[in-house]
Amino acid sequence: MTRLRIATFNIRHGAPKHSYRGLPDELAAACASLDADVLALQEVDVGVPRSQNANLAKVAADACGMTYYFAKARKHACRGQYGNALLVRGTISEVTVVRLDGDHRHTLRIGRMEFKPFREPRNAIIATATVRGHALSIGTGHFAADTAARRPQLTTTAQHLVARPEPRILLGDLNVAARQAAEWLAPYGLTVVGPLAPPATGKRLEIDHVAVCGVGIERVESRWLPISDHPAKIVDLTIAG
């Protein structure tokens, strides 16, 4: 058996929970502390003033000793970019960036009237990650807050992923409860890792998930870090052979 650690982390452009300013050094330390072999990041800035014009994907990859692939979802602050990143302690190949129908996330107010005229672009990364001699089919993204857009985005990503060989891993900010994600992904042979029951009263609903096919699961953890308003989801898994 080969043991690997998989993690997904919505980094909120490297900003702490109660701040807006991105802190690249703190992000680097947070990502390194996860000690992951495969790390998916969402809400990643590249060249954006709010995060000190840093390439946050590279900052995290350098701190972790990983290679990375960044997929821009949209422009930010004129020349900056905003999107998703896949980091691997190994190599990344056979990359496909899947463009997804956007969602009406932002509201425009004129007097008492509210409109949602703009769709926020979304994407998913589908790639082969080779780690410790094992080729993993990986899918990752940040899916819609808009309920109507979320399911087709997630299932489109799953369709692309299952066209690739096992083992398969889908991870990211799915923006949906675990039980609902499990229902949507079951037809694609993907099992959502971790408890599916709603959290106890007063506890935050988790929307960052890992779904797998063809691996064994040893341990699951949700870990709060000094960066972001999301916990990192960590899964320790095993691969046979």
Side-chain angles (χ1 to χ4, degrees):
M1 290 287 185
T2 301
R3 290 174 172 80
L4 300 177
R5 172 167 290 184
I6 309 298
T8 183
F9 187 24
N10 181 325
I11 65 172
R12 195 175 178 255
H13 63 270
K17 184 176 183 179
H18 299 297
S19 176
Y20 185 72
R21 180 174 171 78
L23 304 172
D25 290 345
E26 284 75 2
L27 171 67
C31 290
S33 73
L34 297 173
D35 193 27
D37 297 293
V38 176
L39 175 58
L41 303 179
Q42 303 86 47
E43 296 194 17
V44 181
D45 280 357
V46 175
V48 180
R50 67 182 179 181
S51 49
Q52 304 181 43
N53 294 305
N55 180 339
L56 295 183
K58 186 177 187 303
V59 166
D62 287 349
C64 298
M66 304 171 92
T67 56
Y68 78 94
Y69 185 93
F70 172 77
K72 182 186 78 172
R74 61 179 172 87
K75 292 182 179 179
H76 196 289
C78 296
R79 295 184 179 180
Q81 301 178 66
Y82 176 82
N84 303 301
L86 175 64
L87 286 65
V88 171
R89 194 170 285 167
T91 62
I92 301 172
S93 61
E94 302 177 38
V95 178
T96 300
V97 178
V98 181
R99 302 296 174 184
L100 302 172
D101 289 338
D103 57 315
H104 291 96
R105 181 181 180 187
H106 301 288
T107 300
L108 176 65
R109 293 181 175 84
I110 302 176
R112 295 184 178 180
M113 304 293 290
E114 290 188 357
F115 304 91
K116 291 188 175 183
F118 309 113
R119 287 185 177 269
E120 178 171 346
R122 303 272 180 169
N123 64 29
I125 301 170
I126 308 294
T128 298
T130 303
V131 186
R132 301 185 194 176
H134 293 276
L136 312 174
S137 297
I138 304 287
T140 184
H142 182 192
F143 301 99
D146 185 334
T147 303
R150 185 187 305 122
R151 182 172 185 174
Q153 288 178 358
L154 187 55
T155 55
T156 296
T157 302
Q159 288 168 8
H160 281 82
L161 181 60
V162 298
R164 301 200 177 199
E166 294 184 17
R168 305 183 186 109
I169 300 169
L170 176 63
L171 71 171
D173 181 351
L174 306 192
N175 245 327
V176 69
R179 182 174 291 177
Q180 185 66 81
E183 179 183 324
W184 291 346
L185 293 174
Y188 303 96
L190 293 163
T191 301
V192 173
V193 176
L196 302 185
T201 303
K203 292 190 176 181
R204 177 189 172 106
L205 176 68
E206 291 194 15
I207 57 177
D208 305 277
H209 303 297
V210 177
V212 300
C213 175
V215 302
I217 302 301
E218 286 197 335
R219 177 177 169 274
V220 183
E221 177 189 356
S222 292
R223 183 186 302 177
W224 287 96
L225 296 162
I227 291 298
S228 186
D229 54 353
H230 287 239
K233 175 61 70 69
I234 305 163
V235 177
D236 293 330
L237 54 80
T238 58
I239 303 174

